[in-house]
Every structure is written in C-alpha cells, then in structure tokens.
C-alpha cells in the first residue's frame, strides 16, 4: 500500500522488516520480491535487481510460476531503469510468456506495460502505444482502475514525446480521474 501512495521509505522499511523476519524460503522469496519492487518504485535499480533476481529464481523453479513471471516483469523494469534495454526487453518477453502460461492476467498487463516502457525508451513509439493500449484493455477488464490510470500516465508521456499536447492532456486527465 505504501508503494502505490508513493511512500517509498515506508514501503522499503516494511518490506525490509518482512525480509529479515521471513522464516522459510517461500516467505523470504516473497519478501525479497516485494522489497525489490519497493526499490524499483523508488527508482533504485541497483538495490532492486538482486532482490528481484532472487525472487524470480525461486518462483521460476517452484509450483507458483505466476509469481516467477511477475517478478521477472519487475526485474525487466529494473533493468530498463538501469539503462539495459536489451536485457529489459528479453526479460519482459520472458515474463509475458510466463504470466500468460500461468493465466495470471494482472501480471500479463504489467508485462505489456513493461514492454511498452522498453519500446518507448528505445524509440519504438508505435510499438509502445500498442503495448500500453493492450495493458489498458487488460486492466480495464480486471477493473484495476489504479493500473489503468498508471498506464494513462505512460501514454501521456508517450504523447509528449510525439509532441501531441492534446493527446498528452487527454491521457493525464484520464490518469487523474483514475487516481
């Protein structure tokens, strides 16, 4: 909850406590993954990557592949944040496949968003828009309004890159409504 409110220090503190207190491999992997996500959201890729790698490895080899795929998607975002777009793209594709196979539709939406972020960062704006639109479609079908709003922020940034002030304003207005 702290992460989606932008309360990164509180999120990192809570997840650090959970990580330290985790008594078994399952809970330790979950705590590592969510601590990694907290670092990712606070834009600290260096701290996020090893934690997300740990969580992705644990769940990729377990009977809970939906979590493995989700953490792979977050790991891809961390690599994109770190500037390694090639690795980010490969991990996003892997995460999309894993989450699709697991029928974890919420994480499929995040994988589409991650692919959109990578495409936008690499200048493939048409692909970015298609990925973001697919993420909006998925999150709308799941009634995940916060996620839809977040993608509208991404679409607004994309419109800004294209120099389309009208489209940027539309998407930011939609984001504001969703938040």
């Amino acid at each position: 909850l702290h992460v989606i409110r932008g309360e990164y220090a509180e999120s990192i503190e809570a997840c650090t406590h959970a990580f330290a207190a985790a008594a078994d491999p399952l809970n330790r992997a979950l705590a590592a993954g969510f601590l990694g996500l907290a670092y990712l959201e606070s834009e600290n890729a260096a701290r996020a990557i090893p934690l997300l790698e740990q969580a992705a490895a644990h769940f990729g080899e377990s009977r809970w592949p939906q979590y493995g795929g989700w953490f792979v998607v977050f790991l891809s975002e961390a690599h994109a944040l770190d500037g390694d777009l090639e690795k980010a793209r490969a991990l996003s594709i892997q995460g999309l496949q894993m989450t699709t196979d697991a029928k974890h539709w919420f994480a499929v939406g995040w994988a589409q968003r991650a692919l959109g972020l990578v495409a936008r960062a690499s200048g493939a704006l048409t692909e970015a828009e298609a990925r973001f639109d697919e993420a909006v479609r998925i999150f709308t079908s799941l009634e995940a309004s916060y996620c839809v709003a977040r993608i509208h922020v991404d679409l607004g940034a994309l419109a800004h890159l294209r120099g389309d002030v009208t489209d940027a304003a539309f998407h930011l207005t939609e984001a504001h409504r969703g938040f």
Side-chain angles (χ1 to χ4, degrees), residues 68-129:
W70 204 14
F71 289 127
V72 166
V73 170
F74 294 145
L75 180 59
S76 75
E77 288 186 45
H79 281 289
L81 179 64
D82 201 37
D84 190 346
L85 297 180
E86 206 170 295
K87 187 164 193 167
R89 182 173 194 60
L91 287 167
S92 294
I93 291 168
Q94 177 187 353
L96 177 61
Q97 186 63 56
M98 292 171 74
T99 56
T100 300
D101 290 349
K103 296 179 176 52
H104 185 352
W105 306 123
F106 187 81
V108 170
W110 278 116
Q112 290 290 353
R113 177 182 182 263
L115 282 163
L117 294 172
V118 171
R120 185 180 68 198
S122 62
L125 304 186
T126 302
E127 178 188 351
E129 183 174 27

Short mmCIF file of all heavy atoms in Angstrom, two decimals, residues 68-129:
data_model
loop_
_atom_site.label_atom_id
_atom_site.label_comp_id
_atom_site.label_asym_id
_atom_site.label_seq_id
_atom_site.Cartn_x
_atom_site.Cartn_y
_atom_site.Cartn_z
N GLY A 68 6.73 -16.09 -10.30
CA GLY A 68 8.01 -16.02 -11.02
C GLY A 68 7.91 -15.08 -12.20
O GLY A 68 8.78 -14.22 -12.42
N GLY A 69 6.85 -15.22 -12.97
CA GLY A 69 6.66 -14.34 -14.13
C GLY A 69 6.49 -12.89 -13.74
O GLY A 69 7.03 -11.99 -14.37
N TRP A 70 5.74 -12.67 -12.67
CA TRP A 70 5.51 -11.30 -12.20
C TRP A 70 6.83 -10.66 -11.76
O TRP A 70 7.12 -9.52 -12.12
CB TRP A 70 4.51 -11.33 -11.06
CG TRP A 70 3.73 -10.07 -10.84
CD1 TRP A 70 3.62 -9.00 -11.68
CD2 TRP A 70 2.95 -9.76 -9.71
NE1 TRP A 70 2.81 -8.05 -11.13
CE2 TRP A 70 2.38 -8.49 -9.92
CE3 TRP A 70 2.66 -10.43 -8.53
CZ2 TRP A 70 1.54 -7.87 -8.98
CZ3 TRP A 70 1.83 -9.82 -7.61
CH2 TRP A 70 1.27 -8.56 -7.83
N PHE A 71 7.64 -11.41 -11.01
CA PHE A 71 8.91 -10.84 -10.57
C PHE A 71 9.88 -10.67 -11.72
O PHE A 71 10.71 -9.75 -11.72
CB PHE A 71 9.51 -11.67 -9.42
CG PHE A 71 8.73 -11.52 -8.13
CD1 PHE A 71 8.27 -12.64 -7.44
CD2 PHE A 71 8.46 -10.27 -7.60
CE1 PHE A 71 7.55 -12.50 -6.26
CE2 PHE A 71 7.73 -10.12 -6.42
CZ PHE A 71 7.28 -11.25 -5.74
N VAL A 72 9.80 -11.52 -12.74
CA VAL A 72 10.62 -11.33 -13.95
C VAL A 72 10.22 -10.03 -14.63
O VAL A 72 11.08 -9.28 -15.11
CB VAL A 72 10.49 -12.54 -14.92
CG1 VAL A 72 11.05 -12.22 -16.29
CG2 VAL A 72 11.21 -13.75 -14.34
N VAL A 73 8.93 -9.72 -14.67
CA VAL A 73 8.47 -8.47 -15.26
C VAL A 73 9.03 -7.28 -14.48
O VAL A 73 9.54 -6.32 -15.07
CB VAL A 73 6.92 -8.42 -15.33
CG1 VAL A 73 6.44 -7.03 -15.70
CG2 VAL A 73 6.42 -9.45 -16.33
N PHE A 74 8.95 -7.33 -13.16
CA PHE A 74 9.51 -6.24 -12.35
C PHE A 74 11.02 -6.14 -12.57
O PHE A 74 11.57 -5.04 -12.63
CB PHE A 74 9.21 -6.44 -10.86
CG PHE A 74 7.75 -6.35 -10.51
CD1 PHE A 74 7.23 -7.16 -9.51
CD2 PHE A 74 6.89 -5.48 -11.16
CE1 PHE A 74 5.89 -7.08 -9.16
CE2 PHE A 74 5.55 -5.39 -10.82
CZ PHE A 74 5.05 -6.19 -9.81
N LEU A 75 11.69 -7.28 -12.69
CA LEU A 75 13.13 -7.29 -12.95
C LEU A 75 13.43 -6.62 -14.30
O LEU A 75 14.39 -5.87 -14.42
CB LEU A 75 13.65 -8.73 -12.93
CG LEU A 75 15.14 -8.94 -13.19
CD1 LEU A 75 16.00 -8.19 -12.18
CD2 LEU A 75 15.45 -10.44 -13.16
N SER A 76 12.58 -6.86 -15.28
CA SER A 76 12.78 -6.21 -16.58
C SER A 76 12.69 -4.69 -16.45
O SER A 76 13.47 -3.96 -17.05
CB SER A 76 11.77 -6.73 -17.61
OG SER A 76 10.49 -6.20 -17.41
N GLU A 77 11.74 -4.22 -15.64
CA GLU A 77 11.61 -2.78 -15.43
C GLU A 77 12.84 -2.22 -14.73
O GLU A 77 13.28 -1.10 -15.04
CB GLU A 77 10.36 -2.47 -14.61
CG GLU A 77 9.07 -2.67 -15.38
CD GLU A 77 7.87 -2.21 -14.57
OE1 GLU A 77 7.92 -1.11 -13.97
OE2 GLU A 77 6.86 -2.94 -14.55
N ALA A 78 13.40 -2.97 -13.80
CA ALA A 78 14.61 -2.51 -13.10
C ALA A 78 15.78 -2.39 -14.08
O ALA A 78 16.55 -1.43 -14.02
CB ALA A 78 14.94 -3.46 -11.95
N HIS A 79 15.91 -3.35 -14.98
CA HIS A 79 16.99 -3.28 -15.97
C HIS A 79 16.75 -2.12 -16.94
O HIS A 79 17.71 -1.46 -17.36
CB HIS A 79 17.15 -4.60 -16.71
CG HIS A 79 17.91 -5.61 -15.92
ND1 HIS A 79 19.26 -5.52 -15.68
CD2 HIS A 79 17.50 -6.73 -15.26
CE1 HIS A 79 19.65 -6.53 -14.94
NE2 HIS A 79 18.59 -7.28 -14.67
N ALA A 80 15.50 -1.85 -17.28
CA ALA A 80 15.21 -0.69 -18.13
C ALA A 80 15.60 0.60 -17.42
O ALA A 80 16.23 1.49 -18.00
CB ALA A 80 13.73 -0.66 -18.52
N LEU A 81 15.26 0.68 -16.14
CA LEU A 81 15.62 1.84 -15.33
C LEU A 81 17.14 2.01 -15.27
O LEU A 81 17.66 3.12 -15.30
CB LEU A 81 15.04 1.69 -13.92
CG LEU A 81 15.33 2.80 -12.92
CD1 LEU A 81 14.71 4.11 -13.37
CD2 LEU A 81 14.78 2.40 -11.54
N ASP A 82 17.84 0.88 -15.25
CA ASP A 82 19.30 0.88 -15.20
C ASP A 82 19.93 1.16 -16.56
O ASP A 82 21.15 1.24 -16.67
CB ASP A 82 19.78 -0.47 -14.64
CG ASP A 82 21.17 -0.42 -14.07
OD1 ASP A 82 21.52 0.60 -13.45
OD2 ASP A 82 21.91 -1.41 -14.24
N GLY A 83 19.10 1.24 -17.62
CA GLY A 83 19.60 1.56 -18.95
C GLY A 83 19.92 0.38 -19.84
O GLY A 83 20.36 0.56 -20.97
N ASP A 84 19.69 -0.84 -19.35
CA ASP A 84 19.98 -2.04 -20.15
C ASP A 84 18.69 -2.47 -20.85
O ASP A 84 18.00 -3.40 -20.43
CB ASP A 84 20.52 -3.15 -19.26
CG ASP A 84 21.07 -4.33 -20.05
OD1 ASP A 84 20.79 -4.43 -21.27
OD2 ASP A 84 21.76 -5.16 -19.44
N LEU A 85 18.38 -1.79 -21.95
CA LEU A 85 17.12 -2.03 -22.65
C LEU A 85 17.06 -3.40 -23.31
O LEU A 85 15.99 -3.99 -23.40
CB LEU A 85 16.86 -0.92 -23.67
CG LEU A 85 16.70 0.48 -23.09
CD1 LEU A 85 16.45 1.48 -24.20
CD2 LEU A 85 15.60 0.53 -22.05
N GLU A 86 18.19 -3.89 -23.76
CA GLU A 86 18.21 -5.22 -24.40
C GLU A 86 17.82 -6.31 -23.39
O GLU A 86 16.98 -7.16 -23.67
CB GLU A 86 19.61 -5.49 -24.95
CG GLU A 86 19.64 -6.45 -26.11
CD GLU A 86 21.01 -6.47 -26.76
OE1 GLU A 86 21.42 -5.44 -27.32
OE2 GLU A 86 21.64 -7.54 -26.70
N LYS A 87 18.43 -6.24 -22.22
CA LYS A 87 18.10 -7.22 -21.18
C LYS A 87 16.66 -7.02 -20.70
O LYS A 87 15.92 -8.00 -20.47
CB LYS A 87 19.07 -7.11 -20.01
CG LYS A 87 18.89 -8.20 -18.99
CD LYS A 87 20.08 -8.30 -18.08
CE LYS A 87 19.99 -9.60 -17.29
NZ LYS A 87 21.23 -9.91 -16.61
N ALA A 88 16.25 -5.77 -20.58
CA ALA A 88 14.88 -5.47 -20.15
C ALA A 88 13.87 -6.05 -21.13
O ALA A 88 12.86 -6.63 -20.72
CB ALA A 88 14.69 -3.96 -20.01
N ARG A 89 14.13 -5.90 -22.41
CA ARG A 89 13.20 -6.43 -23.43
C ARG A 89 13.12 -7.95 -23.35
O ARG A 89 12.03 -8.53 -23.37
CB ARG A 89 13.64 -5.99 -24.82
CG ARG A 89 12.70 -6.45 -25.91
CD ARG A 89 13.10 -5.83 -27.26
NE ARG A 89 12.12 -5.94 -28.27
CZ ARG A 89 10.89 -5.46 -28.26
NH1 ARG A 89 10.45 -4.83 -27.21
NH2 ARG A 89 10.07 -5.62 -29.27
N ALA A 90 14.28 -8.60 -23.24
CA ALA A 90 14.29 -10.06 -23.17
C ALA A 90 13.54 -10.55 -21.94
O ALA A 90 12.74 -11.51 -22.01
CB ALA A 90 15.73 -10.58 -23.16
N LEU A 91 13.75 -9.90 -20.81
CA LEU A 91 13.05 -10.30 -19.58
C LEU A 91 11.56 -10.00 -19.66
O LEU A 91 10.74 -10.79 -19.17
CB LEU A 91 13.67 -9.60 -18.37
CG LEU A 91 15.04 -10.12 -17.95
CD1 LEU A 91 15.69 -9.16 -16.96
CD2 LEU A 91 14.92 -11.51 -17.34
N SER A 92 11.19 -8.90 -20.29
CA SER A 92 9.76 -8.57 -20.46
C SER A 92 9.06 -9.63 -21.28
O SER A 92 7.95 -10.06 -20.96
CB SER A 92 9.59 -7.20 -21.13
OG SER A 92 10.06 -6.17 -20.32
N ILE A 93 9.72 -10.06 -22.36
CA ILE A 93 9.14 -11.11 -23.21
C ILE A 93 9.03 -12.42 -22.43
O ILE A 93 8.00 -13.10 -22.48
CB ILE A 93 9.98 -11.28 -24.50
CG1 ILE A 93 9.81 -10.05 -25.38
CG2 ILE A 93 9.59 -12.56 -25.24
CD1 ILE A 93 10.80 -9.95 -26.53
N GLN A 94 10.07 -12.75 -21.68
CA GLN A 94 10.03 -13.96 -20.85
C GLN A 94 8.91 -13.86 -19.81
O GLN A 94 8.15 -14.81 -19.62
CB GLN A 94 11.39 -14.15 -20.15
CG GLN A 94 11.42 -15.34 -19.22
CD GLN A 94 12.72 -15.41 -18.40
OE1 GLN A 94 13.66 -14.64 -18.62
NE2 GLN A 94 12.76 -16.32 -17.47
N GLY A 95 8.81 -12.72 -19.15
CA GLY A 95 7.76 -12.54 -18.15
C GLY A 95 6.37 -12.60 -18.75
O GLY A 95 5.45 -13.18 -18.16
N LEU A 96 6.20 -12.04 -19.96
CA LEU A 96 4.91 -12.12 -20.64
C LEU A 96 4.54 -13.57 -20.91
O LEU A 96 3.41 -13.99 -20.67
CB LEU A 96 4.95 -11.31 -21.94
CG LEU A 96 3.68 -11.37 -22.80
CD1 LEU A 96 2.47 -10.83 -22.05
CD2 LEU A 96 3.90 -10.61 -24.10
N GLN A 97 5.50 -14.35 -21.38
CA GLN A 97 5.23 -15.76 -21.66
C GLN A 97 4.87 -16.52 -20.38
O GLN A 97 3.91 -17.29 -20.35
CB GLN A 97 6.43 -16.41 -22.35
CG GLN A 97 6.17 -17.83 -22.80
CD GLN A 97 5.09 -17.91 -23.85
OE1 GLN A 97 5.17 -17.27 -24.88
NE2 GLN A 97 4.04 -18.69 -23.59
N MET A 98 5.65 -16.28 -19.33
CA MET A 98 5.40 -16.98 -18.06
C MET A 98 4.03 -16.63 -17.49
O MET A 98 3.30 -17.51 -17.03
CB MET A 98 6.50 -16.64 -17.05
CG MET A 98 7.87 -17.19 -17.39
SD MET A 98 9.16 -16.54 -16.29
CE MET A 98 8.79 -17.46 -14.78
N THR A 99 3.68 -15.35 -17.49
CA THR A 99 2.41 -14.94 -16.89
C THR A 99 1.23 -15.36 -17.76
O THR A 99 0.17 -15.70 -17.23
CB THR A 99 2.39 -13.42 -16.64
OG1 THR A 99 2.65 -12.72 -17.85
CG2 THR A 99 3.42 -13.03 -15.58
N THR A 100 1.42 -15.37 -19.08
CA THR A 100 0.37 -15.85 -19.97
C THR A 100 0.14 -17.34 -19.75
O THR A 100 -1.01 -17.79 -19.63
CB THR A 100 0.72 -15.56 -21.44
OG1 THR A 100 0.88 -14.14 -21.61
CG2 THR A 100 -0.36 -16.06 -22.39
N ASP A 101 1.23 -18.11 -19.69
CA ASP A 101 1.11 -19.55 -19.45
C ASP A 101 0.42 -19.85 -18.12
O ASP A 101 -0.34 -20.81 -18.01
CB ASP A 101 2.49 -20.22 -19.47
CG ASP A 101 3.11 -20.27 -20.86
OD1 ASP A 101 2.42 -19.98 -21.86
OD2 ASP A 101 4.33 -20.58 -20.94
N ALA A 102 0.69 -19.01 -17.12
CA ALA A 102 0.10 -19.20 -15.79
C ALA A 102 -1.32 -18.62 -15.70
O ALA A 102 -1.96 -18.75 -14.67
CB ALA A 102 0.99 -18.57 -14.73
N LYS A 103 -1.75 -17.94 -16.76
CA LYS A 103 -3.07 -17.29 -16.78
C LYS A 103 -3.21 -16.28 -15.64
O LYS A 103 -4.29 -16.12 -15.05
CB LYS A 103 -4.20 -18.31 -16.77
CG LYS A 103 -4.21 -19.19 -18.00
CD LYS A 103 -5.32 -20.22 -17.94
CE LYS A 103 -5.46 -21.06 -19.17
NZ LYS A 103 -4.29 -21.72 -19.67
N HIS A 104 -2.12 -15.59 -15.36
CA HIS A 104 -2.10 -14.55 -14.32
C HIS A 104 -2.27 -13.22 -15.05
O HIS A 104 -1.32 -12.52 -15.36
CB HIS A 104 -0.77 -14.62 -13.57
CG HIS A 104 -0.65 -13.70 -12.40
ND1 HIS A 104 -1.56 -12.72 -12.09
CD2 HIS A 104 0.30 -13.62 -11.45
CE1 HIS A 104 -1.17 -12.07 -11.02
NE2 HIS A 104 -0.04 -12.59 -10.60
N TRP A 105 -3.55 -12.88 -15.36
CA TRP A 105 -3.86 -11.78 -16.27
C TRP A 105 -3.39 -10.43 -15.74
O TRP A 105 -2.99 -9.57 -16.53
CB TRP A 105 -5.34 -11.78 -16.61
CG TRP A 105 -5.76 -13.11 -17.14
CD1 TRP A 105 -6.74 -13.92 -16.64
CD2 TRP A 105 -5.17 -13.84 -18.24
NE1 TRP A 105 -6.80 -15.09 -17.36
CE2 TRP A 105 -5.85 -15.07 -18.35
CE3 TRP A 105 -4.13 -13.58 -19.13
CZ2 TRP A 105 -5.53 -16.02 -19.32
CZ3 TRP A 105 -3.81 -14.53 -20.10
CH2 TRP A 105 -4.51 -15.72 -20.18
N PHE A 106 -3.44 -10.23 -14.44
CA PHE A 106 -2.96 -8.97 -13.88
C PHE A 106 -1.47 -8.79 -14.22
O PHE A 106 -1.06 -7.72 -14.67
CB PHE A 106 -3.18 -8.96 -12.36
CG PHE A 106 -2.89 -7.64 -11.72
CD1 PHE A 106 -3.83 -6.63 -11.76
CD2 PHE A 106 -1.68 -7.40 -11.10
CE1 PHE A 106 -3.56 -5.38 -11.17
CE2 PHE A 106 -1.40 -6.17 -10.51
CZ PHE A 106 -2.36 -5.17 -10.54
N ALA A 107 -0.70 -9.84 -14.04
CA ALA A 107 0.73 -9.76 -14.36
C ALA A 107 0.97 -9.67 -15.86
O ALA A 107 1.96 -9.07 -16.30
CB ALA A 107 1.47 -10.95 -13.75
N VAL A 108 0.08 -10.24 -16.66
CA VAL A 108 0.17 -10.09 -18.12
C VAL A 108 0.04 -8.61 -18.48
O VAL A 108 0.77 -8.09 -19.33
CB VAL A 108 -0.89 -10.93 -18.85
CG1 VAL A 108 -0.95 -10.59 -20.34
CG2 VAL A 108 -0.61 -12.42 -18.67
N GLY A 109 -0.86 -7.91 -17.81
CA GLY A 109 -0.99 -6.47 -18.02
C GLY A 109 0.29 -5.73 -17.69
O GLY A 109 0.73 -4.84 -18.42
N TRP A 110 0.94 -6.12 -16.57
CA TRP A 110 2.21 -5.48 -16.20
C TRP A 110 3.30 -5.81 -17.21
O TRP A 110 4.16 -4.98 -17.51
CB TRP A 110 2.65 -5.90 -14.80
CG TRP A 110 1.98 -5.10 -13.75
CD1 TRP A 110 1.11 -5.55 -12.81
CD2 TRP A 110 2.07 -3.69 -13.55
NE1 TRP A 110 0.66 -4.51 -12.04
CE2 TRP A 110 1.24 -3.36 -12.47
CE3 TRP A 110 2.79 -2.67 -14.18
CZ2 TRP A 110 1.10 -2.05 -12.00
CZ3 TRP A 110 2.64 -1.36 -13.71
CH2 TRP A 110 1.80 -1.08 -12.63
N ALA A 111 3.27 -7.02 -17.76
CA ALA A 111 4.26 -7.39 -18.78
C ALA A 111 4.07 -6.55 -20.03
O ALA A 111 5.05 -6.08 -20.63
CB ALA A 111 4.15 -8.88 -19.10
N GLN A 112 2.82 -6.33 -20.43
CA GLN A 112 2.56 -5.47 -21.58
C GLN A 112 3.04 -4.04 -21.30
O GLN A 112 3.64 -3.39 -22.17
CB GLN A 112 1.06 -5.47 -21.94
CG GLN A 112 0.57 -6.76 -22.51
CD GLN A 112 1.10 -7.05 -23.91
OE1 GLN A 112 1.75 -6.24 -24.55
NE2 GLN A 112 0.81 -8.25 -24.40
N ARG A 113 2.82 -3.56 -20.09
CA ARG A 113 3.30 -2.22 -19.72
C ARG A 113 4.82 -2.18 -19.79
O ARG A 113 5.40 -1.23 -20.31
CB ARG A 113 2.83 -1.85 -18.32
CG ARG A 113 3.38 -0.49 -17.88
CD ARG A 113 2.96 -0.14 -16.45
NE ARG A 113 3.45 1.17 -16.10
CZ ARG A 113 4.58 1.38 -15.41
NH1 ARG A 113 5.29 0.35 -14.98
NH2 ARG A 113 4.98 2.60 -15.14
N ALA A 114 5.48 -3.21 -19.24
CA ALA A 114 6.94 -3.24 -19.25
C ALA A 114 7.47 -3.23 -20.68
O ALA A 114 8.44 -2.51 -20.99
CB ALA A 114 7.45 -4.48 -18.50
N LEU A 115 6.84 -3.99 -21.56
CA LEU A 115 7.25 -3.98 -22.97
C LEU A 115 7.02 -2.61 -23.60
O LEU A 115 7.81 -2.15 -24.42
CB LEU A 115 6.51 -5.07 -23.75
CG LEU A 115 7.08 -6.47 -23.53
CD1 LEU A 115 6.08 -7.54 -23.97
CD2 LEU A 115 8.40 -6.64 -24.26
N GLY A 116 5.95 -1.94 -23.19
CA GLY A 116 5.70 -0.58 -23.66
C GLY A 116 6.76 0.40 -23.19
O GLY A 116 7.22 1.27 -23.94
N LEU A 117 7.17 0.26 -21.92
CA LEU A 117 8.22 1.13 -21.39
C LEU A 117 9.54 0.95 -22.14
O LEU A 117 10.22 1.92 -22.48
CB LEU A 117 8.42 0.87 -19.89
CG LEU A 117 7.27 1.24 -18.97
CD1 LEU A 117 7.53 0.73 -17.55
CD2 LEU A 117 7.03 2.75 -18.97
N VAL A 118 9.88 -0.31 -22.41
CA VAL A 118 11.12 -0.60 -23.13
C VAL A 118 11.03 -0.05 -24.56
O VAL A 118 11.98 0.57 -25.06
CB VAL A 118 11.43 -2.11 -23.14
CG1 VAL A 118 12.59 -2.44 -24.06
CG2 VAL A 118 11.72 -2.60 -21.72
N ALA A 119 9.90 -0.27 -25.21
CA ALA A 119 9.73 0.22 -26.57
C ALA A 119 9.83 1.75 -26.61
O ALA A 119 10.50 2.31 -27.48
CB ALA A 119 8.39 -0.25 -27.14
N ARG A 120 9.17 2.42 -25.67
CA ARG A 120 9.22 3.89 -25.62
C ARG A 120 10.65 4.37 -25.41
O ARG A 120 11.11 5.27 -26.09
CB ARG A 120 8.31 4.42 -24.51
CG ARG A 120 8.21 5.95 -24.50
CD ARG A 120 7.31 6.45 -23.41
NE ARG A 120 7.91 6.20 -22.11
CZ ARG A 120 7.25 6.21 -20.97
NH1 ARG A 120 5.96 6.43 -20.94
NH2 ARG A 120 7.87 5.97 -19.83
N ALA A 121 11.37 3.73 -24.48
CA ALA A 121 12.75 4.14 -24.20
C ALA A 121 13.68 3.91 -25.38
O ALA A 121 14.66 4.63 -25.55
CB ALA A 121 13.26 3.40 -22.97
N SER A 122 13.35 2.92 -26.22
CA SER A 122 14.21 2.63 -27.36
C SER A 122 13.75 3.35 -28.63
O SER A 122 14.32 3.15 -29.70
CB SER A 122 14.30 1.12 -27.60
OG SER A 122 13.03 0.59 -27.91
N GLY A 123 12.70 4.17 -28.52
CA GLY A 123 12.25 4.97 -29.65
C GLY A 123 11.21 4.30 -30.54
O GLY A 123 10.81 4.86 -31.55
N ALA A 124 10.76 3.10 -30.17
CA ALA A 124 9.74 2.39 -30.95
C ALA A 124 8.36 2.82 -30.46
O ALA A 124 7.66 2.09 -29.75
CB ALA A 124 9.93 0.89 -30.82
N LEU A 125 7.96 4.03 -30.83
CA LEU A 125 6.78 4.65 -30.24
C LEU A 125 5.47 3.97 -30.65
O LEU A 125 4.54 3.88 -29.85
CB LEU A 125 6.75 6.14 -30.59
CG LEU A 125 7.99 6.94 -30.17
CD1 LEU A 125 7.77 8.43 -30.43
CD2 LEU A 125 8.38 6.69 -28.73
N THR A 126 5.39 3.46 -31.87
CA THR A 126 4.18 2.76 -32.29
C THR A 126 3.99 1.47 -31.50
O THR A 126 2.89 1.15 -31.04
CB THR A 126 4.23 2.47 -33.81
OG1 THR A 126 4.37 3.71 -34.50
CG2 THR A 126 2.98 1.75 -34.28
N GLU A 127 5.09 0.73 -31.32
CA GLU A 127 5.02 -0.48 -30.50
C GLU A 127 4.66 -0.14 -29.06
O GLU A 127 3.85 -0.83 -28.43
CB GLU A 127 6.34 -1.25 -30.53
CG GLU A 127 6.29 -2.49 -29.66
CD GLU A 127 7.62 -3.20 -29.48
OE1 GLU A 127 8.60 -2.87 -30.17
OE2 GLU A 127 7.66 -4.11 -28.62
N ALA A 128 5.26 0.93 -28.53
CA ALA A 128 4.97 1.33 -27.15
C ALA A 128 3.48 1.60 -26.98
O ALA A 128 2.86 1.13 -26.02
CB ALA A 128 5.78 2.57 -26.78
N GLU A 129 2.90 2.34 -27.92
CA GLU A 129 1.48 2.65 -27.83
C GLU A 129 0.62 1.38 -27.87
O GLU A 129 -0.33 1.23 -27.09
CB GLU A 129 1.06 3.59 -28.96
CG GLU A 129 -0.39 4.02 -28.86
CD GLU A 129 -0.75 5.07 -29.89
OE1 GLU A 129 -0.13 5.13 -30.97
OE2 GLU A 129 -1.68 5.85 -29.59
#
